[in-house]
């Protein structure tokens, strides 16, 4: 396939930086006028900063605008940030919240169309066309995963199998019987069971599109080795639109943001200043065309870097790096910043008897933080000599100490001991009540 065939909308995905900045500026001016006049929350926020719509003349003026946080969404539950009459809302999506209330996002028909366009672009990045059979096992319902992938598959005209989550063996039967060529799911879901059932060679799979949780290059290599497919990392969040905000192309050198719809900033989470290209910071998004619930400078808490150079695939859209983690996933343990992805990278680099399933447990004993890492290992080891288990435990401990900068107690456990998840995997339990 040529580069041209791999791009769904070459006009916008390959637009020059000057042309894109002009388009974004026009859209930002319109956006600010809409939220100022229709969303009391933003009217109040802008007045507090002494900013009026007329002060926003181009995309460079975005720094004058207020931030929006998850807490703002919760405080305005369910529809306090809606910018259009309810009669124009055709759908709501949502995510669970820690307060017991959902984070609810209303969509107009145009919002749905834009969402489908974004996911369609992503699927095209992976080489998918209307000739493909796309097996979707993200959950359908308020969660954006299943429906987002469904909309994208429709956009490129592919056959969609809307399996949703659950009933793993039935999923695999349908993938085999229907001739699925692409699988969309959380990274580790299904691969293990497909292997156990001896079905790898019976599948027509060529592509995996994985998201819903951070995952590493080591995980990509492991899935590729197991299923013999090319894996792509798709990113999105319900507040912005759902999956399709960004995805990596076949170069696998960062995730292309759909820049004409979502304006990204990568900022120092303390000073709120731009960190520049290729430096780690917090990802902040402004939804340039969204109608139902547009957001100004939404703080995602995701930690990444950004690169505005043109990709070898021909796209000029900026790319964000795989996420280091989230500001709220990071754990400070004995004064050291620790991310679950660091543990995953270290464990998967060991290969052999080490599984990609792990659990971090943080406790506090005698006013000192204690980190325990449970790691699944090959079943054969538990019927082998105790000395081999002890040797492996020491190796894992040394590897994690080098990766994290702190020591951890290692508990090697049998396969299937750690609970599996079809959605976002729970990797950390913090018992410190900080």
């Amino acid at each position: 396939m040529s580069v041209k065939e791999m791009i769904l909308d070459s006009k916008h995905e390959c637009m020059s930086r000057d042309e894109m900045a002009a388009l974004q500026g026009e859209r930002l001016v319109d956006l600010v006028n809409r939220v100022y006049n229709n969303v009391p929350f933003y009217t109040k926020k802008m007045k507090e900063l002494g900013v009026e719509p007329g002060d926003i003349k181009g995309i460079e003026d975005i720094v004058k605008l207020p931030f929006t946080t998850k807490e703002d969404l919760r405080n305005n539950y369910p529809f306090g940030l809606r910018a259009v009459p309810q009669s124009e809302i055709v759908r709501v999506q949502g995510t669970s919240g820690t307060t017991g209330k959902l984070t609810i996002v209303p969509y107009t028909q145009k919002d749905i169309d834009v969402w489908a366009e974004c996911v369609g672009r992503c699927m095209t990045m992976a080489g998918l066309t209307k000739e493909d059979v796309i097996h979707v096992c993200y959950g359908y319902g308020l969660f954006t995963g299943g429906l987002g992938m469904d909309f994208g598959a429709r956009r490129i005209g592919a056959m969609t199998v809307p399996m949703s989550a659950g009933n793993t063996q039935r999923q695999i039967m349908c993938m085999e019987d229907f001739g699925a060529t692409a699988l969309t799911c959380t990274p580790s879901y299904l691969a293990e069971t497909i292997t156990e059932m001896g079905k790898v060679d019976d599948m027509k799979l060529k592509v995996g599109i994985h998201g819903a949780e951070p995952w590493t290059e080591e995980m990509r290599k492991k899935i590729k080795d197991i299923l013999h497919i090319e894996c792509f990392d798709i990113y999105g969040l319900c507040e912005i639109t759902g999956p399709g905000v960004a995805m990596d192309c076949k170069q696998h050198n960062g995730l292309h943001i759909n820049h004409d719809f979502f304006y990204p900033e990568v900022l120092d989470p303390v000073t709120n200043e731009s960190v520049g290209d290729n430096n780690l910071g917090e990802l902040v998004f402004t939804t340039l065309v969204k109608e139902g619930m547009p957001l100004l400078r939404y703080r995602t808490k995701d930690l990444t870097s950004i690169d505005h150079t043109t990709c070898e695939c021909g796209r000029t859209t900026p790319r964000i790096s795989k996420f280091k983690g989230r500001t709220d996933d990071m754990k400070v343990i004995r004064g050291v910043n620790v991310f679950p992805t660091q543990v995953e990278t270290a464990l998967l680099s060991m290969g052999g008897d080490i599984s990609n399933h792990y659990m971090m447990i943080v406790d506090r004993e005698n006013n000192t933080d204690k980190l325990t890492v449970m790691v699944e290992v090959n079943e054969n080891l538990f019927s082998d000599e105790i000395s081999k288990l002890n040797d492996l435990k020491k190796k894992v401990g040394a590897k994690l100490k080098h990766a994290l900068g702190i020591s951890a107690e290692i508990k090697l456990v049998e396969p299937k001991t750690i609970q599996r998840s079809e959605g976002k995997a729970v990797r950390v339990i913090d018992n410190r009540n900080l």
Side-chain angles (χ1 to χ4, degrees):
M1 236 178 224
S2 69
V3 170
K4 185 176 181 181
E5 290 172 325
M6 296 293 296
I7 299 178
L8 186 63
D9 180 358
S10 58
K11 176 183 176 181
H12 292 99
E13 294 181 76
C14 303
M15 185 176 277
S16 73
R17 292 186 67 173
D18 288 344
E19 288 177 309
M20 180 60 75
L23 176 63
Q24 291 170 329
E26 292 173 9
R27 290 179 169 179
L28 181 65
V29 169
D30 176 69
L31 168 69
V32 170
N33 274 283
R34 285 191 290 115
V35 298
Y36 187 87
N37 292 312
N38 295 294
V39 185
F41 168 81
Y42 280 124
T43 310
K44 181 174 181 290
K45 279 269 192 178
M46 289 177 63
K47 285 182 176 178
E48 288 173 350
L49 292 176
V51 179
E52 296 181 351
D55 298 325
I56 309 302
K57 297 178 173 62
I59 197 64
E60 66 279 0
D61 292 324
I62 199 167
V63 295
K64 299 176 182 178
L65 296 170
F67 291 104
T68 312
T69 67
K70 187 91 164 187
E71 194 62 31
D72 293 329
L73 270 62
R74 291 183 180 130
N75 290 340
N76 286 276
Y77 171 89
F79 301 123
L81 297 182
R82 192 182 67 212
V84 297
Q86 184 171 317
S87 59
E88 294 184 28
I89 299 301
V90 300
R91 171 178 295 282
V92 294
Q93 301 286 161
T95 60
S96 60
T98 57
T99 62
K101 294 287 189 182
L102 299 171
T103 298
I104 291 295
V105 180
Y107 296 70
T108 65
Q109 185 57 54
K110 181 181 176 182
D111 293 336
I112 297 296
D113 294 341
V114 167
W115 188 8
E117 172 69 21
C118 290
V119 181
R121 290 180 186 179
C122 293
M123 289 181 167
T124 304
M125 284 186 204
L128 300 180
T129 71
K130 65 180 182 180
E131 303 299 328
D132 284 288
V133 178
I134 302 176
H135 184 98
V136 180
C137 53
Y138 288 116
Y140 281 66
L142 280 177
F143 174 61
T144 56
L147 283 162
M149 303 310 291
D150 200 303
F151 293 149
R154 287 191 225 175
R155 171 63 181 85
I156 65 171
M159 174 178 161
T160 312
V161 183
M163 289 298 296
S164 194
N167 201 334
T168 303
Q169 293 197 352
R170 187 166 177 246
Q171 296 262 10
I172 294 169
M173 178 190 75
C174 290
M175 287 168 62
E176 181 183 359
D177 293 348
F178 302 166
T181 57
L183 168 67
T184 71
C185 63
T186 48
S188 57
Y189 182 53
L190 290 184
E192 187 177 52
T193 308
I194 291 173
T195 306
E196 290 173 354
M197 293 175 65
K199 292 291 185 179
V200 174
D201 294 335
D202 298 327
M203 297 290 178
K204 294 182 180 179
L205 289 174
K206 62 180 183 181
V207 165
I209 297 179
H210 308 300
E213 64 185 30
W215 55 292
T216 60
E217 283 301 315
E218 288 74 16
M219 177 71 82
R220 187 200 302 273
K221 293 170 186 173
K222 182 153 188 169
I223 297 172
K224 182 177 180 180
D225 289 343
I226 293 173
L227 296 182
H228 314 305
I229 62 176
E230 187 170 7
C231 298
F232 294 83
D233 190 356
I234 193 167
Y235 170 73
L237 56 168
C238 177
E239 299 92 321
I240 303 303
T241 193
V245 174
M247 195 174 92
D248 58 342
C249 65
K250 290 198 170 190
Q251 300 298 319
H252 300 301
N253 188 25
L255 283 67
H256 289 272
I257 293 174
N258 281 307
H259 205 201
D260 48 328
F261 298 129
F262 316 112
Y263 186 80
E265 301 172 84
V266 178
L267 308 178
D268 183 309
V270 177
T271 66
N272 296 328
E273 298 293 326
S274 171
V275 298
D277 276 20
N278 302 308
N279 294 309
L280 191 68
E282 180 185 1
L283 183 59
V284 174
F285 274 118
T286 296
T287 59
L288 294 174
V289 301
K290 202 166 189 185
E291 295 180 336
M293 195 183 83
L295 296 179
L296 300 178
R297 308 187 82 191
Y298 181 71
R299 309 195 73 133
T300 69
K301 297 190 176 181
D302 289 320
L303 295 171
T304 187
S305 60
I306 195 165
D307 182 351
H308 284 86
T309 61
T310 298
C311 180
E312 290 183 23
C313 73
R315 293 177 178 84
T316 56
T317 48
R319 287 161 288 147
I320 50 175
S321 64
K322 268 188 170 292
F323 294 104
K324 172 80 171 180
R326 289 173 54 83
T327 57
D328 52 1
D329 278 348
M330 182 185 77
K331 296 297 178 183
V332 180
I333 304 173
R334 300 198 291 276
V336 176
N337 296 343
V338 176
F339 293 93
T341 49
Q342 291 174 289
V343 175
E344 180 175 297
T345 297
L347 293 177
L348 288 179
S349 70
M350 299 185 71
D353 296 316
I354 297 294
S355 163
N356 57 286
H357 297 287
Y358 67 92
M359 177 72 73
M360 297 168 54
I361 303 170
V362 190
D363 294 289
R364 176 157 286 181
E365 297 180 0
N366 299 320
N367 295 317
T368 301
D369 293 335
K370 176 185 176 183
L371 172 62
T372 302
V373 181
M374 296 173 60
V375 183
E376 287 187 10
V377 297
N378 191 308
E379 191 171 9
N380 294 333
L381 282 175
F382 284 89
S383 59
D384 214 326
E385 298 175 13
I386 294 296
S387 60
K388 289 188 177 181
L389 271 178
N390 289 334
D391 287 344
L392 181 59
K393 185 176 179 180
K394 290 177 183 177
K395 288 179 182 177
V396 173
K399 187 77 174 180
L400 289 181
K401 185 173 183 179
H402 177 75
L404 304 179
I406 60 171
S407 59
E409 180 180 339
I410 309 301
K411 288 188 176 180
L412 303 181
V413 298
E414 296 181 73
K416 303 295 179 73
T417 302
I418 297 172
Q419 184 176 356
R420 303 297 191 259
S421 173
E422 295 163 7
K424 294 184 180 181
V426 177
R427 299 296 192 192
V428 185
I429 298 175
D430 192 339
N431 296 319
R432 293 175 298 177
N433 297 317
L434 297 179

